[in-house]
Amino acid sequence: MPTDSNPAQPSIVEVKDMDFAYGSKTALHGINLEVERKRVTALIGPSGCGKSTLLRCINRMNDRVTGARIAKGEVRVKGKNIHDADVDLTQLRKQVGMVFQKSNPFPKTIYENVAYGLRVHGEKDGEVIHEAVERALTQAALWDELKDRLQAHALGLSGGQQQRLCIARAIATQPDVLLMDEPCSALDPIATLKIEELIHQLARDYTVIIVTHNMQQAVRVSDYTAFLHLGKLIEFGETERMFDRPKEKLTESYLRGTFS
Amino acid sequence: MVDTPAPIERPPLRDLILRKGKRTIVGADPQGLIRGFFAANSSVTIIVLALIMIFLLKEGAGFLGTYKHELEIYRRAGLEFCDIVDRPLSEQQELSSKLRRAVTTSVDPIIQGVRARRDAAFLLKREVEEQTKLAREPLAAALEKEPAPAATELDPLRQQVAAATQQAAAKMNVPDVFTADEAKRLRDEFAKLTPEVSDLPPMLMELSAAFTVKDKEAKQKFGPLVDASDELEEAPEELRGVLDELKEEVLATKEAATTHFTLEEGRQKLLKAASKAKDPQEKEDLIKEADASKTDEPNYEESIKPVLERREELIGKVVAYAAAADAAAVNLPKEGGTAEATQLLTEVRAALPLHAKALRDGVESLRTWKQDKPVSIFTVIGAFFFGTSWLTNSSWQDFFGFVPLLVGSVVIALIAIVIATPLSVAAAIYTNQFASDREKEIIKPVIEFIQAIPSVVLGFIGISLVGDLIKEISEVPWLGWLPGFPIQERLNMFNAGCLLALMAVPTMFSLAEDALNNVPQAYIDASDALGATKLQTVFRVIVPAGLSGIAAAILLGLGRVIGETMVVLLVAGNRIAIPDFSGGPGVIFQPAHTLTGIIAQELGEVSRGSAHWQALFMVGIVLFVISLAVNGCARAVVRRFELPKA
Ligand SMILES: Nc1ncnc2c1ncn2[C@@H]1O[C@H](COP(=O)(O)OP(=O)(O)OP(=O)(O)O)[C@@H](O)[C@H]1O
Ligand SMILES: [Mg+2]
């Protein structure tokens, strides 16, 4: 499989020769993927090809699904196999945050939503929490909009604001990696644009892995793109290069939209 | 942020096209028929509800008028006048009985020994007589015969008695309050018992005498206490004398009035029938019959005169009695013979001045009381909604104050909810979040099965099992510090509350579990992805998100509990009085009556249309309103905190 990641930069997430199965059904076959630090990596591919599954392997969100397991290979975050016995799931999720397709703020105040991650990780100091909330909201480009109504109910925000609030919530604990599963699919174009801008800025501090169905979005936001098909990683490389000169026939036909 | 484009209106043309060529059934279109069918069904429910409300209101509405009329008679006949004194005076009996108890508990320790000996001896005598009954009866019968039978006839009977008595006396189980010598003497004396001699055996005489001496001695020792008790007992005698005479007088007036109105009602019915009758002969008969039952309403002014003439006399007696009560408080010794007696004395000493004051306060009312003061409708409404006594079938006056019933219902419901809420909510959280599938399969049906137990069976359990259990637990010595322990009544509000809690648990559990189930999975995902543990997710996200549903579950449980009848009727103790809250939380172990219980108990026995009947309907209306309010609250809570659909 052709890849062109930069070997000089150490990868923060490494998927090595991984097979993943839901019970007897193998959803991912022999995935090899190295995600570069502080870059945006997009996962694209037709529906059902395993993008979400792959994304969820990285923070072990699949653990809950009965029968779901890594059948072969391993996933490493910051060099550490995340399935090692001494890995603490809480710590892993502190390092790897996640934003979902449909915005899902808690039915609490804006402030409490952002503070939630800190609170569950045992932070008691109000000062520290307050700083973290302000920083997260600022990074999520929400601070100016919301600073006067932090105690308002989160469910009163617009869809786009809610999704950015979820991003703020995910980055409040300062993870290394931020996973996003089609974060804009439920938003209108203008809200989508805002989020895309946000992703650009987030890439300064975080490593972002984003699943998207929108080719333009992949081009706009990502540095690297991985194309999956039927549970296999077909091609992985710099976005610009891949969209200009895909190496694989399959990639080309998918990008052209002449895919059957 | 961004306005979503307004929905484009569908071109009417499209509708026209769609409607073309539709089939019809007997001129109506089938869609309409189906819609109509469902609409009709739901409207039936609404109509039935409306009918129930109208019926309740119709029956209850007459109550205010009827009760007003009764209260008018109560005033005009002068019963109200007597109650000004009678009400506060009734407390005297309770105070007196407390003093008597103080005397008994003081004297008891001193006379206990001799009394036990005397009683034991008498008991033994009775046992011997019981055992020899078969032999004694023929002899006793023979002795009564006239003329007296010959000695030859009596002798064999006498011998039989002697033999049986000797045997019984020898077998006698003499308790160890007697020494061995005394026991022997008792046996010897009792062996000679015969129906021919009615004198007590000497030993019994001695024991009785010893008791009398000791009793006198003890009474002397507590002389001031005994005197005070006697004084308080006798103090109101003169007052009572006057009051009883007055009461008799006014009661006669009231009865005359009641009779008059009953006859009058019948007469009106006859006249109405007469006006409708077609046959002139029948009409005439009816009118004649009506005329025959014509009576005059008693002349209240005349009949109250003899009562009011004695007004000053009564006031004098009240003042004298109040002074006596005050004096009794001062003269009351500080200490009784036991701690209990001292406690009783303290209580009485504190209560007496208040008692005297209440009576003295009445004097002013006695002076200003007027029989022709009109009874306003607000007085009647107040007498129902704030009346503190529900008194029916009384020979004096019926009162329909529903506060005691309301308090009973509310306290029992609160007890039930306080018990049921933690049980059902905890069970719901466990089942919904932590239980394995196997556990769920056990827990859910078991809890839901409780609903299938008929409430009368639960009442049965309350009477036979829970009551005894609570009573026994309350008598465990080291639990004595708990408020209300040891309890007096097996059937009480707490007992009823426990069973109602059991009845409310299935409803509350199912609803709370639904509420937790309805918490969107997305919240749980988000919490998990942030690294929260299972417990954190449950208590920081799921439970708070389901809280409105849980609150609604609690409120609906409350509605269920307030409306429940059978259990409270059987188990709550049915005492119609406002429980005494002065003892603190121990009040929950007192018996009470309830809104539902009173209807179930009394509706079958009252005559249709009477004030009592209508009062019960009023209670029904209040109950109905409470249930509506509780359900409304539950709906409001759910609507207020509704979660967006996942
Ligand atoms: N919980 C599950 N249990 C069993 N099979 C699953 C489960 N989740 C996903 N799958 C299967 O795994 C495969 C990959 O699914 P996945 O959701 O990762 O696809 P995707 O690329 O994210 O698709 P989409 O673009 O539609 O979101 C699919 O065939 C799907 O049916
Ligand atoms: Mg997906």
Side-chain angles (χ1 to χ4, degrees):
Chain A
M1 184 206 63
T3 54
D4 47 10
S5 60
N6 184 352
Q9 273 280 348
S11 312
I12 187 160
V13 176
E14 300 159 273
V15 181
K16 287 189 177 160
D17 199 22
M18 183 190 73
D19 284 4
F20 185 87
Y22 289 110
S24 58
K25 183 182 167 228
T26 310
L28 295 171
H29 304 270
I31 306 284
N32 275 297
L33 183 69
E34 297 196 354
V35 178
E36 202 175 309
R37 199 181 281 273
K38 299 196 178 175
R39 289 285 184 279
V40 180
T41 303
L43 303 182
I44 60 170
S47 194
C49 68
K51 305 180 293 291
S52 299
T53 304
L54 177 55
L55 199 70
R56 285 161 170 267
C57 281
I58 300 169
N59 68 347
R60 286 179 55 182
M61 275 300 269
N62 286 321
D63 279 17
R64 268 206 314 236
V65 183
T66 38
R69 67 194 190 283
I70 291 186
K72 196 175 99 211
E74 60 187 25
V75 179
R76 286 176 178 274
V77 172
K78 290 169 103 178
K80 175 99 186 131
N81 184 344
I82 60 171
H83 284 276
D84 275 356
D86 61 341
V87 169
D88 175 12
L89 201 56
T90 304
Q91 280 310 312
L92 171 69
R93 287 180 180 166
K94 202 176 163 188
Q95 286 170 9
V96 185
M98 186 163 195
V99 175
F100 296 81
Q101 177 170 2
K102 198 169 172 299
S103 65
N104 55 357
F106 298 125
K108 298 172 185 283
T109 62
I110 293 167
Y111 186 92
E112 281 307 315
N113 262 283
V114 184
Y116 184 85
L118 292 132
R119 291 207 199 281
V120 299
H121 289 117
E123 185 58 64
K124 295 252 158 46
D125 187 341
E127 199 66 10
V128 174
I129 292 178
H130 195 85
E131 269 168 32
V133 169
E134 179 169 349
R135 195 195 52 242
L137 284 173
T138 311
Q139 285 182 337
L142 274 174
W143 180 250
D144 292 330
E145 275 168 67
L146 300 183
K147 62 169 180 274
D148 297 325
R149 46 184 185 128
L150 294 177
Q151 297 307 322
H153 209 261
L155 300 182
L157 299 176
S158 74
Q161 283 175 322
Q162 289 194 11
Q163 190 61 301
R164 278 182 286 148
L165 182 66
C166 292
I167 295 173
R169 181 176 66 187
I171 60 181
T173 50
Q174 294 187 283
D176 297 296
V177 182
L178 191 58
L179 309 175
M180 297 181 150
D181 195 347
E182 302 183 44
C184 303
S185 65
L187 301 179
D188 67 85
I190 295 177
T192 301
L193 221 66
K194 283 202 177 181
I195 303 254
E196 285 175 6
E197 246 164 60
L198 180 58
I199 293 171
H200 264 302
Q201 279 157 27
L202 289 175
R204 272 188 248 142
D205 301 302
Y206 306 97
T207 307
V208 178
I209 306 177
I210 177 173
V211 171
T212 178
H213 271 287
N214 182 330
M215 294 310 131
Q216 282 89 23
Q217 187 171 67
V219 175
R220 281 194 299 263
V221 302
S222 69
D223 304 300
Y224 293 93
T225 298
F227 171 57
L228 285 96
H229 182 240
L230 293 179
K232 293 201 179 76
L233 182 61
I234 304 300
E235 189 171 345
F236 176 50
E238 280 177 23
T239 304
E240 227 166 282
R241 199 273 304 148
M242 194 153 116
F243 277 77
D244 283 350
R245 292 164 274 113
K247 287 178 185 164
E248 295 289 318
K249 268 249 147 19
L250 216 49
T251 318
E252 183 166 356
S253 65
Y254 180 70
L255 293 178
R256 277 184 193 288
T258 56
F259 194 73
S260 55
Chain B
M1 286 179 18
V2 184
D3 291 338
T4 46
I8 306 154
E9 255 178 79
R10 197 185 283 174
L13 183 67
R14 205 179 128 91
D15 284 3
L16 283 177
I17 294 166
L18 281 175
R19 208 168 268 166
K20 214 171 68 180
K22 245 182 352 187
R23 278 185 305 165
T24 58
I25 298 173
V26 222
D29 87 86
Q31 302 259 348
L33 281 181
I34 293 168
R35 258 193 55 197
F37 172 74
F38 286 105
N41 276 306
S42 52
S43 45
V44 163
T45 343
I46 294 173
I47 290 170
V48 167
L49 191 66
L51 285 178
I52 290 175
M53 279 165 81
I54 292 169
F55 175 70
L56 274 176
L57 282 176
K58 188 178 137 284
E59 290 288 342
F63 170 73
L64 290 181
T66 320
Y67 194 28
K68 179 166 187 260
H69 181 69
E70 289 207 348
L71 288 180
E72 265 161 7
I73 298 179
Y74 171 68
R75 173 168 293 167
R76 307 194 69 188
L79 278 75
E80 190 186 46
F81 181 75
C82 297
D83 270 348
I84 296 176
V85 181
D86 207 28
R87 283 251 175 83
L89 193 58
S90 64
E91 206 192 343
Q92 180 266 346
Q93 273 154 8
E94 197 190 324
L95 293 174
S96 232
S97 95
K98 271 187 180 167
L99 277 192
R100 273 199 303 278
R101 267 217 326 273
V103 171
T104 326
T105 55
S106 299
V107 168
D108 243 19
I110 301 174
I111 59 170
Q112 231 166 21
V114 281
R115 190 179 54 199
R117 282 161 59 87
R118 180 197 65 175
D119 291 351
F122 272 96
L123 196 68
L124 286 174
K125 172 169 175 274
R126 184 135 40 93
E127 270 171 20
V128 170
E129 283 168 356
E130 277 292 308
Q131 279 168 13
T132 57
K133 208 161 87 186
L134 280 181
R136 291 167 69 95
E137 267 165 12
L139 180 57
L143 285 170
E144 305 224 322
K145 271 191 200 153
E146 288 287 347
T152 46
E153 203 177 312
L154 288 175
D155 276 343
L157 294 174
R158 284 196 179 114
Q159 268 159 26
Q160 264 175 27
V161 171
T165 313
Q166 262 161 27
Q167 202 182 4
K171 272 200 308 201
M172 220 160 54
N173 194 359
V174 182
D176 54 10
V177 289
F178 298 105
T179 62
D181 285 345
E182 284 169 333
K184 188 171 172 308
R185 217 184 123 196
L186 273 175
R187 283 212 170 82
D188 290 347
E189 286 183 10
F190 285 2
K192 295 189 199 109
L193 285 173
T194 149
E196 284 173 283
V197 184
S198 61
D199 288 349
L200 289 174
M203 176 102 177
L204 279 185
M205 305 276 272
E206 280 164 34
L207 287 170
S208 293
F211 172 76
T212 318
V213 169
K214 204 75 179 175
D215 194 41
K216 213 179 225 167
E217 191 181 302
K219 291 253 162 76
Q220 217 133 43
K221 186 168 170 213
F222 293 99
L225 178 52
V226 177
D227 290 346
S229 168
D230 289 348
E231 263 165 39
L232 186 64
E233 189 108 41
E234 288 155 16
E237 233 154 60
E238 283 188 25
L239 175 57
R240 280 240 163 76
V242 177
L243 191 60
D244 285 347
E245 282 165 34
L246 297 184
K247 276 167 89 170
E248 220 167 281
E249 196 100 32
V250 298
L251 209 51
T253 317
K254 179 190 164 181
E255 261 152 29
T258 316
T259 320
H260 161 73
F261 284 112
T262 317
L263 290 174
E264 188 62 21
E265 200 178 314
R267 199 171 75 92
Q268 293 301 339
K269 269 188 199 146
L270 286 173
L271 287 177
K272 207 167 159 195
S275 72
K276 273 190 194 148
K278 297 210 174 70
D279 180 8
Q281 177 61 39
E282 193 188 339
K283 193 169 195 150
E284 201 174 309
D285 285 351
L286 282 168
I287 291 178
K288 214 181 266 171
E289 202 181 325
D291 286 345
S293 67
K294 192 166 164 60
T295 51
D296 285 330
E297 196 175 352
N299 185 340
Y300 300 109
E301 278 95 63
E302 277 305 313
S303 45
I304 199 74
K305 262 187 192 149
V307 175
L308 292 184
E309 264 162 22
R310 300 182 69 181
R311 196 197 304 237
E312 285 308 320
E313 185 190 351
L314 182 67
I315 290 174
K317 297 279 187 261
V318 168
V319 172
Y321 168 67
D326 273 338
V330 176
N331 295 339
L332 215 56
K334 291 260 179 314
E335 299 212 350
T338 58
E340 193 193 342
T342 310
Q343 169 68 27
L344 285 166
L345 284 175
T346 325
E347 281 172 25
V348 174
R349 188 170 324 103
L352 269 174
L354 296 176
H355 173 56
K357 184 172 180 300
L359 278 154
R360 257 191 228 110
D361 287 349
V363 169
E364 194 48 39
S365 316
L366 284 177
R367 287 230 165 82
T368 55
W369 182 84
K370 280 208 187 64
Q371 83 171 145
D372 50 3
K373 199 169 140 214
V375 177
S376 84
I377 192 74
F378 297 109
T379 317
V380 181
I381 294 173
F384 177 74
F385 283 102
F386 304 106
T388 53
S389 65
W390 179 279
L391 194 67
T392 54
N393 298 330
S394 150
S395 58
W396 178 245
Q397 172 75 25
D398 285 359
F399 289 104
F400 305 105
F402 102 134
V403 173
L405 308 173
L406 181 71
V407 171
S409 276
V410 168
V411 173
I412 291 174
L414 287 183
I415 296 170
I417 289 304
V418 165
I419 297 173
T421 299
L423 281 180
S424 46
V425 172
I429 291 176
Y430 181 77
T431 316
N432 190 261
Q433 290 298 321
F434 299 103
S436 65
D437 286 349
R438 249 187 72 82
E439 284 176 307
K440 274 186 205 172
E441 266 167 43
I442 297 170
I443 296 173
K444 279 198 190 179
V446 166
I447 291 186
E448 272 148 27
F449 176 76
I450 296 174
Q451 239 162 356
I453 306 177
S455 59
V456 69
V457 174
L458 277 183
F460 195 70
I461 293 171
I463 292 175
S464 59
L465 194 82
V466 184
D468 288 335
L469 199 68
I470 299 174
K471 185 142 174 70
E472 255 163 56
I473 291 174
S474 84
E475 276 155 12
V476 174
W478 51 269
L479 284 177
W481 55 270
L482 283 170
F485 276 23
I487 63 170
Q488 310 292 326
E489 307 279 345
R490 279 185 324 121
L491 300 183
N492 55 46
M493 295 192 279
F494 179 74
N495 190 344
C498 286
L499 291 162
L500 286 187
L502 191 64
M503 294 186 72
V505 160
T507 319
M508 291 168 66
F509 167 80
S510 304
L511 289 169
E513 219 249 345
D514 281 352
L516 295 175
N517 231 353
N518 285 341
V519 172
Q521 178 65 29
Y523 295 163
I524 301 166
D525 287 347
S527 179
D528 281 356
L530 285 163
T533 61
K534 176 84 190 174
L535 271 180
Q536 283 173 329
T537 304
V538 169
F539 288 105
R540 287 170 187 251
V541 176
I542 300 178
V543 172
L547 210 55
S548 68
I550 292 174
I554 294 172
L555 280 172
L556 290 173
L558 183 68
R560 169 120 176 66
V561 160
I562 290 230
E564 166 54 35
T565 308
M566 197 37 102
V567 165
V568 289
L569 185 63
L570 291 175
V571 182
N574 298 353
R575 188 177 73 188
I576 312 178
I578 299 180
D580 177 14
F581 284 90
S582 62
V587 67
I588 59 173
F589 296 108
Q590 291 175 21
H593 218 314
T594 54
L595 298 173
T596 48
I598 203 92
I599 299 178
Q601 187 179 19
E602 297 185 345
L603 197 57
E605 296 163 6
V606 300
S607 60
R608 234 188 130 97
S610 66
H612 191 175
W613 160 278
Q614 290 172 328
L616 292 175
F617 269 86
M618 277 297 282
V619 174
I621 292 174
V622 173
L623 204 55
F624 192 75
V625 170
I626 293 176
S627 295
L628 274 185
V630 168
N631 277 291
C633 279
R635 288 175 60 90
V637 164
V638 169
R639 211 171 321 126
R640 169 76 181 71
F641 299 102
E642 204 160 26
L643 292 171
K645 290 282 161 281

